[in-house]
């Protein structure tokens, strides 16, 4: 059992305010990913939870027990927090074999030899590295991160913290290890906190994601909800590959809903799909947000509502084709399944599902229309 609650955490390095009133609850069994660009505070948050850093303000509870109270200068040492860490550098002992690396921490706990062997074999099996048990880290190449994770889970921690453990791997190994980590989480039920700047890692592995911006948590949500309904333009632009398409427009709010006029034409959205962040003004500047896969492209007009566009570039990528089109001075990227080919300046027609469009208030940047 490992529920973590961070309340009003502030962390300074000198005069630099790194974490700014961070509040975050990580439920028992969560795979919580801390996501954001470099320097946003995600690794510092991980280090504060682990006990490697002390915040200047705030409290942290683990299963209801206070492990940090900055006001009272109470900071439980890492050894009392029942957690383990996997770093980007792996920190394996180069002079020890795989077995000896995994056994090192277990022997410090003075566990019986049979129990140590059982845990080693279990960790090796989970990470599928049994055949490397007598090798040294320098002989493993891409397998070092599996050893580091095996060593971490062998101690059967209530909480597993990982700081960009896959960043040194090539593309194929990264995909393989995402699958392994997700399977590991499902099988063990261990609460995990994972730091990354890679949104694909976050979306594919997490049960929840916390988006950071300059030391502040902007949004915490399930991956699909965060992808479909980003709380503001920052999150919308950060999440998604290729990036979301934006188009400026003018909003008019009436008793039955909202009408947006933009280079993509006039769009009407019902009142039930609007958020409570809708501006009080009846007329204001808005931004349409449309994911590349939510646009359909055809060479002939399929419906009177289809939008005429002109091909700018077409880039086949095997299983999909990324097509950039121009509509009234606006560039839109479309993700089309399969291999297709379009000529530059070719006329095509776009269809958009209005239910899937996000709308943001340009002034506040807040989401004002849900994707449903």
């Amino acid at each position: 059992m490992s529920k973590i609650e961070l309340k009003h955490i502030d962390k300074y390095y000198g005069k630099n305010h790194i974490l700014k009133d961070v509040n975050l609850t990580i439920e028992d069994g969560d795979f919580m990913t801390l996501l954001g660009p470099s320097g946003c505070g995600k690794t510092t948050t991980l280090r504060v939870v682990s006990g490697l850093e002390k915040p200047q303000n705030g409290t942290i509870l683990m299963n209801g027990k206070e492990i940090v109270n900055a006001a009272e200068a109470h900071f439980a040492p890492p050894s009392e927090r029942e957690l383990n860490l996997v770093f980007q550098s792996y920190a394996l002992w180069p002079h020890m074999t795989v077995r000896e690396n995994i056994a090192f921490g277990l022997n410090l706990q003075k566990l019986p030899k049979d129990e140590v062997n059982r845990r080693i074999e279990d960790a090796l099996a989970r990470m599928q590295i049994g055949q490397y048990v007598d090798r040294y880290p320098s002989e493993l190449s891409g397998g070092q991160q599996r050893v580091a994770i095996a060593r971490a889970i062998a101690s059967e921690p209530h909480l597993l913290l990982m700081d960009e453990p896959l960043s040194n791997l090539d593309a194929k190994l990264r995909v393989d290890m995402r699958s392994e980590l997700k399977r590991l989480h499902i099988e063990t039920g261990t609460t995990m906190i994972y730091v990354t700047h890679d949104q694909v890692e976050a979306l594919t592995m997490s049960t929840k994601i916390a988006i950071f911006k300059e030391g502040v948590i902007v949004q915490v949500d399930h991956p699909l909800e965060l992808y479909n309904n980003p709380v503001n333009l920052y999150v919308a632009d950060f999440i998604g590959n290729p990036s979301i398409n934006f188009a400026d427009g003018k909003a008019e709010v009436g008793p039955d809903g909202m009408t947006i006029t933009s280079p993509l034409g006039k769009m009407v959205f019902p009142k039930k799909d609007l958020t409570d962040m809708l501006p009080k003004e009846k007329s204001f500047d808005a931004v349409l947000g449309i994911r590349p896969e939510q646009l359909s492209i055809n060479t002939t007009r399929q419906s009177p509502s289809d939008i005429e566009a002109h091909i700018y570039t077409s880039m086949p990528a095997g299983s999909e084709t990324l097509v950039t089109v121009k509509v009234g001075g606006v560039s839109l990227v479309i993700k089309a399944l399969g291999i297709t080919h379009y000529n530059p300046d070719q006329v095509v027609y776009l269809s958009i599902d209005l239910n899937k469009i996000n709308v943001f208030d340009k002034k506040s940047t807040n989401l004002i229309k849900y994707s449903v």
Side-chain angles (χ1 to χ4, degrees):
M1 297 289 288
S2 194
K3 177 180 178 180
I4 315 298
E5 298 171 85
L6 287 74
K7 299 181 179 181
H8 306 293
I9 297 295
D10 283 294
K11 175 63 183 175
Y12 294 82
Y13 290 121
K15 294 183 179 180
N16 294 323
H17 197 177
I18 305 301
L19 298 181
K20 304 168 184 175
D21 193 31
V22 168
N23 294 274
L24 180 64
T25 297
I26 302 164
E27 298 291 346
D28 180 50
D30 268 353
F31 191 127
M32 173 68 78
T33 295
L34 311 182
L35 178 65
S38 298
C40 67
K42 54 190 187 296
T43 293
T44 302
T45 301
L46 194 79
R47 293 176 65 84
V48 165
V49 171
S50 71
L52 297 177
E53 298 285 354
K54 297 177 180 179
Q56 280 78 14
N57 297 306
T59 60
I60 300 178
L61 303 179
M62 182 178 288
N63 295 325
K65 178 183 177 182
E66 195 171 74
I67 59 172
V68 169
N69 187 322
E72 298 178 3
H74 169 61
F75 304 99
S79 60
E80 295 179 9
R81 301 191 186 192
E82 299 184 48
L83 53 82
N84 218 328
L85 297 101
V86 179
F87 296 103
Q88 183 177 353
S89 62
Y90 309 138
L92 299 174
W93 295 106
H95 64 288
M96 293 183 181
T97 65
V98 168
R99 178 183 294 278
E100 291 167 340
N101 265 284
I102 298 172
F104 183 79
L106 303 177
N107 290 330
L108 289 179
Q109 298 177 40
K110 298 182 179 179
L111 296 174
K113 186 175 181 179
D114 288 347
E115 178 65 10
V116 170
N117 289 333
R118 182 194 69 79
R119 293 195 184 190
I120 291 174
E121 294 305 318
D122 182 63
L124 290 169
R126 287 187 184 279
M127 298 313 299
Q128 300 181 30
I129 52 173
Q131 67 271 36
Y132 305 131
V133 66
D134 295 319
R135 294 190 185 181
Y136 291 91
S138 61
E139 300 173 323
L140 294 176
S141 183
Q144 291 191 29
Q145 88 289 344
R146 290 178 184 256
V147 179
I149 295 169
R151 181 179 60 185
I153 65 175
S155 63
E156 299 180 356
H158 291 163
L159 177 63
L160 182 59
L161 311 179
M162 291 179 278
D163 187 4
E164 304 207 40
L166 310 185
S167 60
N168 294 329
L169 304 182
D170 62 41
K172 184 180 184 305
L173 275 175
R174 284 176 77 106
V175 173
D176 291 344
M177 281 307 301
R178 287 175 201 152
S179 177
E180 295 295 343
L181 286 174
K182 188 164 187 175
R183 180 183 59 83
L184 176 67
H185 175 251
I186 293 170
E187 289 182 355
T188 64
T190 301
T191 305
M192 297 183 179
I193 306 178
Y194 189 95
V195 166
T196 185
H197 63 272
D198 187 325
Q199 55 174 294
V200 176
E201 285 184 8
L203 290 170
T204 53
M205 296 192 299
S206 315
T207 59
K208 288 182 183 175
I209 300 173
I211 301 284
F212 279 71
K213 179 185 180 184
E214 297 175 356
V216 176
I217 294 180
V218 181
Q219 184 175 3
V220 182
D221 221 322
H222 301 289
L224 287 180
E225 182 61 22
L226 192 146
Y227 181 82
N228 290 326
N229 288 305
V231 71
N232 58 26
L233 286 171
Y234 170 79
V235 178
D237 194 33
F238 190 79
I239 291 289
N241 185 23
S243 298
I244 192 170
N245 297 296
F246 291 128
D248 289 340
K250 195 73 176 180
E252 299 286 342
V253 179
D256 298 324
M258 177 175 64
T259 300
I260 304 286
T261 304
S262 76
L264 306 183
K266 184 174 288 188
M267 301 177 182
V268 180
F269 303 102
K271 188 175 182 180
K272 66 180 179 63
D273 295 342
L274 305 184
T275 77
D276 56 6
M277 302 303 292
L278 192 70
K280 294 180 180 179
E281 297 87 356
K282 297 300 180 183
S283 178
F284 55 90
D285 292 329
V287 179
L288 297 170
I290 309 168
R291 296 287 180 190
E293 70 275 10
Q294 293 165 358
L295 287 158
S296 297
I297 183 170
N298 294 289
T299 54
T300 59
R301 190 183 294 275
Q302 305 292 307
S303 166
S305 62
D306 283 359
I307 302 165
E308 182 177 311
H310 293 79
I311 297 293
Y312 186 72
T313 59
S314 177
M315 297 183 291
S319 62
E320 63 191 27
T321 301
L322 299 180
V323 185
T324 302
V325 301
K326 297 282 188 178
V327 183
V330 175
S331 292
L332 301 173
V333 176
I334 303 164
K335 184 187 288 187
L337 290 178
I339 300 174
T340 57
H341 177 73
Y342 299 95
N343 297 315
D345 301 321
Q346 180 179 345
V347 175
V348 292
Y349 299 90
L350 312 179
S351 60
I352 308 173
D353 184 352
L354 298 189
N355 291 323
K356 299 299 182 183
I357 293 178
N358 293 128
V359 182
F360 303 88
D361 173 21
K362 189 169 185 176
K363 183 178 180 181
S364 69
T365 78
N366 291 326
L367 179 71
I368 57 174
K369 185 269 171 185
Y370 294 111
S371 168
V372 294

